[in-house]
């Protein structure tokens, strides 16, 4: 998208630049559209087209911040809804909702960590060792405690069609009579 596309050729608001009093125009950059001075490069004034400020939706008077004792509030921010302290920016407390891991399976690579459920940047679930970055073991399928009947690998994965060995070299289907360790 260039500055000459129809989106950017619409009639602009006649807001002047606060630095040089030239008119401001909508420009496009690698991070999306923004408002910039028409006298660029002599004047380098820029401003975000969309402000990403946190707005308070509801104050939770009965809930106190554990760090500063101010009331907590439901806020709407850049990445969605969250619960944070009303005393921001003096207090940066945010409630993190981390569910307890029900599936406790030991990591077969480092043998000290546990496999925990995580989300990748696209929202897809995977299981990785909680000792990351020291241990980089990960699975895309649900891990199940058990031993492979073919190669004796200490971990199985649950797929749609049954249990399979988690070892990349084996990956064979297990019989239905396997009992988890």
């Amino acid at each position: 998208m260039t500055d000459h596309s129809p989106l950017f050729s619409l009639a602009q608001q006649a807001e002047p630049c606060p630095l040089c009093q030239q008119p401001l125009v909508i420009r496009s950059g690698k991070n999306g559209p923004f408002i910039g001075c028409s006298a660029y490069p002599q004047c380098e004034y820029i401003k975000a087209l969309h402000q990403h400020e946190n707005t308070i939706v509801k104050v939770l008077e009965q809930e106190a911040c554990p760090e500063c004792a101010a009331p907590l509030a439901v806020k709407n921010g850049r990445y969605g809804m969250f619960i944070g302290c009303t005393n921001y920016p003096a207090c940066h407390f945010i409630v993190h909702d981390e569910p307890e891991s029900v599936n406790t399976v030991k990591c077969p690579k480092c043998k000290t960590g546990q496999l925990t459920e995580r989300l990748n940047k696209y929202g897809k679930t995977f299981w990785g060792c909680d000792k990351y970055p020291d241990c980089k073991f990960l699975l895309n399928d649900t891990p199940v405690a058990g031993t492979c009947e073919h190669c004796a690998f200490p971990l199985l994965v649950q797929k749609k069609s049954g249990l399979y060995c988690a070892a990349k070299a084996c990956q064979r289907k297990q019989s239905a009579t396997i009992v988890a360790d």
Side-chain angles (χ1 to χ4, degrees):
M1 184 178 282
T2 65
D3 288 345
H4 305 294
S5 66
L7 173 65
F8 297 99
S9 64
L10 296 174
Q12 303 295 323
Q13 297 175 353
E15 185 179 341
C17 173
L19 300 178
C20 68
Q21 304 306 316
Q22 294 292 321
L24 294 177
V25 294
I26 297 176
R27 299 196 177 265
S28 63
K30 65 179 181 179
N31 295 323
F34 64 94
I35 297 175
C37 183
S38 61
Y40 179 81
Q42 290 80 21
C43 178
E44 296 184 359
Y45 175 79
I46 60 170
K47 171 173 100 170
L49 189 60
H50 302 288
Q51 297 297 326
H52 297 289
E53 296 179 7
N54 296 338
T55 57
I56 295 177
V57 176
K58 182 179 180 184
V59 176
L60 306 171
E61 297 290 341
Q62 70 279 8
E63 298 290 329
C65 175
E67 294 180 6
C68 71
L72 295 178
V74 177
K75 297 181 177 184
N76 192 9
R78 183 177 199 171
Y79 300 107
M81 303 282 275
F82 67 96
I83 298 175
C85 184
T86 56
N87 199 17
Y88 179 83
C91 178
H92 291 277
F93 178 76
I94 295 175
V95 175
H96 294 285
D97 186 25
E98 297 179 13
E100 291 295 321
S101 177
V102 178
N103 191 2
T104 56
V105 179
K106 282 193 165 251
C107 175
K109 186 174 181 183
C110 69
K111 301 198 183 359
T112 58
Q114 300 287 328
L115 296 181
T116 58
E117 186 175 358
R118 299 182 182 191
L119 290 175
N120 67 12
K121 65 181 180 179
Y122 302 110
K124 188 169 189 234
T125 303
F126 71 96
W127 284 261
C129 182
D130 62 359
K131 299 293 183 188
Y132 179 86
D134 295 329
C135 177
K136 294 185 174 151
F137 183 80
L138 63 91
L139 294 168
N140 288 322
D141 298 307
T142 307
V144 176
T147 305
C148 176
E149 59 191 27
H150 303 286
C151 70
F153 192 74
L155 185 66
L156 303 174
V157 291
Q158 179 69 50
K159 296 188 178 185
K160 291 179 182 176
S161 59
L163 287 175
Y164 288 84
C165 179
K168 292 190 190 280
C170 180
Q171 294 185 348
R172 294 173 68 179
K173 186 171 182 173
Q174 306 298 303
S175 65
T177 59
I178 288 188
V179 178
D181 292 340

